[in-house]
């Protein structure tokens, strides 16, 4: 039986991101993925939002995705696009990039890291005891791990086997989605009718002057709302043809499908993200309608929240209770996204009263204050983990400031590439002695002259120092003293050696 510190079931975007985070923290991690390789059949998600670009930037890999994607304003409520180009971030936009491209880039990244990945292997069950988990595979082998993380998607076997409830709402609509060839020239674009929204587009497109311009080549991506909630069976080309004829009066001569799938607006969230030594992340913990495109971003950010915490517990520097903060912080974020997507689906209904409501919401949503709030939610830039009272930065993402240090200029996010905590001292040099955590925290003396502006909140007062967690969220804000720093380091970095902290200022 192979042993690993952590086994991840599922090598989709969430599982791969978590594997990268654990590998960066030098944790022995293995991924078990049912597919024979990283190739995802079908395009699936169409991209991700600003905070996800930022977390990839924090690890130094955002450029890989930006090079293949198309930058666009794609934060939406109902059918209204909310411009975020004035947001204080280096990435005031969303990125249009198909999920199969995202997974290819992620797979290439984790191949550079010490991640063991078992393709063509399926987890069929597990047994946990006081010291670890035995993970059973379909081929009869088993793996032993200290922790097992279910990143195995919405139908998660791990969630079910752990006995974790998945409360929520049953579907009210279902859609067929497919990639096909067509003998007739289709009417590209969106169509709305009494049944719902339908869309035809080509996989290859460009953004010109903020508009999607489809290329006149390549497969067509079809999305049709079904007349009834689809059955549980896999949809066929015939189902797709019938659905197209109902909406468009023709199936445009569809043939040669590479992918046909069905999704619904079922909305559910795991009641617990952890059962002993088993944790959930990504779609295994929450599912919702893809309107607004938040699912992949939520999963990647779950992974970035969980990775360093699990690493510190496995490495013995933090108590197991640190894992409780994963659910405390991430459950409310997904709950809010679920509520948002349910509102989105309601606004997409095509009866006259809902259309009137959508018009009212649209008018309000383009006003400055509501626009900023809504973009904050969709982009993930307004995420605020409840780390107690204090400076507005506490529990919020650290902005990617341009710093000047003794070694030259650098960006804050560059300091996070290794996924290690950062103590940023913006006052007089050598102001802090954090020796008891010195092997774990990078202590950086830096100068920053520019404004401090947070998404949605606006300008905030400049802090004298900040402790930044590996996920880029601020765990402590200094006012010129070290009040609370020892507690913050102990909570978020781990147990100190028995020396004291002093502030020499
Ligand atoms: C049509 C559509 C459009 C979407 N558009 C967007 C969008 O624009 N933006 C966005 O953010 N999100 C979008 N989403 C949602 C997004 O696709 C998901 O949120 C995302 O894939 C979740 O990633 P994950 O890694 O958590 O799960 P998954 O991507 O489902 O990955 C789970 C992995 O686990 C593997 N697996 C499952 N069971 C086992 C097992 N027992 N053993 C081993 N391996 C297993 C699977 O093979 C799979 O690779 C869309 C979804 C759909 C269906």
């Amino acid at each position: 039986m192979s042993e690993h510190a952590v086994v991840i079931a599922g090598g989709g975007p969430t599982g791969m991101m978590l594997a990268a985070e654990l590998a960066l923290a030098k944790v022995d991690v293995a991924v078990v993925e049912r597919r024979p390789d990283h190739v995802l059949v079908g395009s699936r998600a169409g991209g991700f939002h600003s905070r996800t670009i930022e977390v990839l930037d924090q690890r130094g890999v955002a450029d890989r995705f930006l090079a293949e994607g198309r930058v666009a304003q794609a934060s939406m409520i109902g059918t209204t696009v909310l411009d975020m180009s004035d947001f204080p971030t280096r990435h005031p936009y969303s990125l249009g990039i198909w999920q199969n491209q995202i997974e290819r880039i992620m797979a290439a990244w984790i191949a550079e890291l010490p991640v063991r990945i078992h393709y063509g292997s399926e987890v069929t069950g597990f047994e946990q005891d006081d010291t670890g988990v035995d993970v059973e595979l379909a081929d009869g082998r088993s793996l032993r791990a200290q922790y097992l993380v279910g990143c195995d998607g919405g139908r998660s076997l791990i969630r079910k086997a752990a006995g974790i409830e998945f409360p929520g709402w049953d579907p009210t609509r279902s859609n067929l989605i497919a990639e096909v060839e067509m003998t007739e020239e289709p009417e590209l674009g969106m169509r709305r009718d009494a049944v719902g929204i339908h869309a035809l587009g080509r996989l290859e497109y460009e953004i010109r002057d903020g508009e999607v311009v489809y290329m006149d080549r390549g497969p067509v991506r079809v999305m049709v709302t079904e007349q009834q909630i689809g059955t549980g069976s896999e949809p066929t080309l015939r189902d797709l043809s019938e659905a197209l004829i109902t909406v468009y009066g023709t199936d445009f001569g569809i043939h040669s499908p590479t992918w046909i799938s069905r999704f619904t607006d079922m909305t559910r969230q795991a009641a617990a993200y952890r059962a002993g030594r088993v944790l959930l992340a990504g779609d295994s913990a929450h599912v919702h309608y893809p309107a607004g495109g938040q699912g992949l971003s939520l999963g990647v950010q779950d992974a970035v929240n969980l990775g360093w915490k699990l690493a510190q517990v496995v490495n013995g520097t933090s108590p197991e209770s640190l894992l409780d903060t994963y659910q405390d912080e991430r459950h409310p974020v997904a709950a809010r996204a679920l509520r948002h997507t349910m509102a989105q689906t309601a606004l997409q209904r095509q009866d006259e009263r809902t259309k009137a409501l959508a018009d009212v919401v649209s008018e309000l949503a383009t006003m400055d204050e509501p626009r900023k709030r809504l973009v904050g939610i969709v982009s993930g830039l307004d995420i605020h983990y409840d780390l107690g009272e204090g400076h507005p930065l506490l529990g919020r993402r650290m902005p990617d400031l341009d710093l000047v240090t003794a070694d030259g200029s650098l960006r804050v996010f560059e300091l996070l590439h290794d996924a290690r905590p950062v103590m940023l001292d913006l006052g007089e040099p050598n102001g802090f002695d954090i020796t008891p955590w010195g092997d774990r925290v990078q202590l950086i003396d830096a100068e920053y002259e520019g404004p401090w502006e947070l998404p949605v909140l606006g300008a905030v007062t400049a802090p004298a120092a900040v402790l930044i967690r590996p996920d880029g969220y601020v765990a402590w804000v200094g006012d010129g003293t070290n009040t609370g720093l020892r507690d913050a380091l102990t909570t978020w970095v781990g147990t100190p050696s028995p020396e004291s902290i002093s502030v020499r200022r």
Side-chain angles (χ1 to χ4, degrees), residues 93-124:
Y93 41 71
S94 304
L95 190 69
I97 178 168
W98 298 116
Q99 185 166 341
N100 48 12
Q101 294 175 278
I102 295 170
E103 295 202 19
R104 173 171 44 73
I105 297 168
M106 281 189 152
W109 176 37
I110 64 169
E112 297 163 15
L113 299 169
V115 174
R116 184 76 202 275
I117 182 149
H118 302 268
Y119 284 116
S121 283
E122 184 171 348
V123 176
T124 50

Side-chain angles (χ1 to χ4, degrees), residues 10-14 32-35 44-47 99 121-123 151-153 177 263 282-283 290 293-297:
T14 308
V32 181
E33 168 54 51
R34 184 162 57 192
R35 287 179 274 155
R44 210 165 156 188
Q99 185 166 341
S121 283
E122 184 171 348
V123 176
C151 298
D152 52 341
I177 187 157
F263 65 92
D283 274 19
Q294 294 184 62
L296 195 146
S297 291

Side-chain angles (χ1 to χ4, degrees), residues 466-478:
V466 283
L467 174 65
I468 310 167
R469 310 190 317 190
D471 58 3
Y473 288 83
V474 175
W476 175 83
V477 182

